[in-house]
Amino acid sequence: MSLVQLIAHADERGLAASGLACLDRCVPLLGGDDEILRPLWSTLAHPADADAWASRLARVRGALAGPGEPGEGEAALLARRMLAAAPSEPSAAGLRVWADACSLAALRIHRLLDPAGEDVPEETGEAGEAGDAGETGDAEVTGGGVRGGSPLVAAELRRQTAVLELLAEHGTGGLRRAHEVTTEGRRVLRAVVSRRARGRG
């Protein structure tokens, strides 16, 4: 199935994992450390606990949702909006809207950070070998969504698809691998953000 179809058919856990994974990969733009969203990931391993999700989300917002920096770019603003839009009540309807919005925002962020002609860090595939970041080709997702198949965008599209497929096929059992996919994506984006910062310095 396409990414749009996977989101449309996902259950509550899959939708929460999808939105959370997109946000987690973009945490470097918010100045967060690699463990900041782990408490939210842990809620997905158990039967739905709305109180645990809401309280942990509030703590994450308190740690990350500070005022934007002067001159902050569009990519960071999009990441802040992803966090702000996370539903406090993890219902299927609210999570589906969030997952869809996070998908498009994350793809937009990766496109903004991957200007034409700029090299991007190499990522590793499941077998531990370098993957082809452009193998997904055209990264257009919806008629009004992201267009273009730059390497960083194509890799993000592939990760989003992988997370949803893992949760659809394995349920709770797919969470660990989904988190690994997300961790790899965050590492790549952190390297891109750091390099851009050095280039401006």
Side-chain angles (χ1 to χ4, degrees):
M1 289 189 287
S2 70
L3 178 58
V4 172
Q5 291 172 320
L6 285 166
I7 291 175
H9 288 86
D11 62 12
E12 290 181 9
R13 181 180 282 116
L15 293 168
S18 178
L20 189 56
C22 289
L23 177 61
D24 202 347
R25 287 190 292 274
C26 297
V27 155
L29 291 163
L30 301 177
D33 64 44
D34 290 345
E35 300 299 314
I36 190 69
L37 296 183
R38 186 173 287 276
L40 281 172
W41 279 100
S42 69
T43 66
L44 305 185
H46 307 288
D49 186 339
D51 290 339
W53 171 271
S55 63
R56 294 177 189 186
L57 176 60
R59 287 198 292 271
V60 169
R61 283 178 171 153
L64 292 179
E69 297 295 329
E72 189 171 60
E74 182 182 351
L77 290 173
L78 286 167
R80 291 188 187 282
R81 289 171 189 162
M82 273 197 278
L83 177 59
S88 296
E89 181 181 343
S91 65
L95 288 170
R96 199 175 309 280
V97 171
W98 185 54
D100 187 59
C102 286
S103 172
L104 290 174
L107 288 166
R108 175 65 178 163
I109 285 168
H110 283 74
R111 185 171 185 182
L112 287 167
L113 297 179
D114 186 16
E118 181 174 311
D119 294 331
V120 297
E122 201 171 58
E123 64 170 334
T124 55
E126 291 187 15
E129 299 178 348
D132 179 5
E135 68 187 12
T136 57
D138 190 347
E140 182 176 0
V141 179
T142 66
V146 176
R147 298 173 182 272
S150 68
L152 204 62
V153 176
E156 170 62 12
L157 177 59
R158 186 169 64 251
R159 290 189 195 96
Q160 290 190 22
T161 301
V163 166
L164 284 159
E165 287 177 342
L166 284 163
L167 270 294
E169 294 172 13
H170 306 291
T172 305
L175 281 171
R176 181 175 179 179
R177 179 60 189 141
H179 189 262
E180 290 172 353
V181 169
T182 298
T183 298
E184 176 65 11
R186 187 192 328 113
R187 182 194 69 81
V188 171
L189 194 67
R190 192 176 293 282
V192 170
V193 170
S194 296
R195 186 172 59 191
R196 287 169 66 89
R198 290 195 301 270
R200 291 193 298 267

